Amino acid sequence: MRVRRISSILGGTAALAFALSACGTADVGGGGNDSGDGDGGGETITIGVKYDQPGLGLLKGDAPVGFDVDVATYIAGELGYEPEQIEWAEAASANRESFLQQGTVDMVIATYSITDERRQVVDFAGPYYVAQQDILVKGDNEDIQGPEDLEGKVLCSASGSRSAHNIVDEMEIDAELREAGNYSECLSLLGNGAVDAVTTDNTILAGFAAQNPGTYRMVNNPFGEERYGVGLPAGSTERCEEVNAAIVKMWEEGVALDALKKAFGETDFAYEESTPEVDACK
């Protein structure tokens, strides 16, 4: 198992018109060595995951751990790759599309919600899990109990995520938006009082709350739906079908539930236990 930190230096090409500005660290690679012919078992496969989300994708020592990492490892295995053939790359919310477009990674499994806008530039398999959106506040903040209480408050979300815009644009709640490079930065802003709340998927917030008991409180008033997909380069219909088959098998065998229990079993987060229905590949 190999770990790479990859920065994304975005060009101004038309192919990146929908990609948001990137963030990351060093060592730009040329993507995985997966041939994409559906046979799997190439030299390596490069998978983008989060490195800063407890319970989902968190870099510990020299390797990431969490539910998304377990899902990625299982899917890679079904495609013919052993764990030591996986190269991990840090995929921040803002660079997931560009990494897939540029061939920096072969797939992205990083709390990557399936949306029509994103489907214009990348393909998705899945979903492999269906989350909901929620809100995180300081542990002693009892004033915010739901989205409606964010009126006039400062709300943080990571660059490249649409969570805060769901509240401001879709729910028409007049909150002031503050974007950060990632959710770890949002947590720092929340801790020092620069923002009043952080919003994103309940899976992500549960991990941060569990890592900081008493410091932060998840409102536990979920809303909306976030369908986590496996991001693939555009035109990956055959690979999409293979990944969908792996996702279905992962749930049928109980592997997905075992991974959820391992990630969130010691928290009070009520994770979804029902098998998601995967979309047809196009």
Side-chain angles (χ1 to χ4, degrees), residues 2 14 19 24 51 58 61 67 90 97 99 121 125 135 148 156 163-164 184 192 195 214 218 229 255-256 269:
R2 308 175 188 178
Y51 280 8
L58 182 67
F67 176 64
E90 182 178 16
E97 285 88 15
F99 274 14
V121 291
I135 299 163
E148 64 280 357
C156 188
S163 297
S184 293
N192 64 30
V195 302
M218 193 162 76
V255 175
F269 171 54

Side-chain angles (χ1 to χ4, degrees), residues 231-249:
L232 300 166
S236 300
T237 303
E238 184 177 354
R239 176 47 51 90
C240 171
E241 292 171 349
E242 293 172 339
V243 173
N244 273 352
I247 290 170
V248 171
K249 184 178 178 182

Side-chain angles (χ1 to χ4, degrees), residues 147-148 150-152 164-175:
E148 64 280 357
L150 293 171
E151 191 84 22
H165 294 281
N166 289 343
I167 291 174
V168 173
D169 299 331
E170 302 299 326
M171 303 177 75
E172 298 183 345
I173 293 172
D174 188 19

Side-chain angles (χ1 to χ4, degrees), residues 175-195:
E176 178 184 342
L177 296 188
R178 174 78 179 269
E179 282 198 348
N182 54 45
Y183 286 108
S184 293
E185 292 182 21
C186 277
L187 264 289
S188 296
L189 293 171
L190 180 61
N192 64 30
V195 302

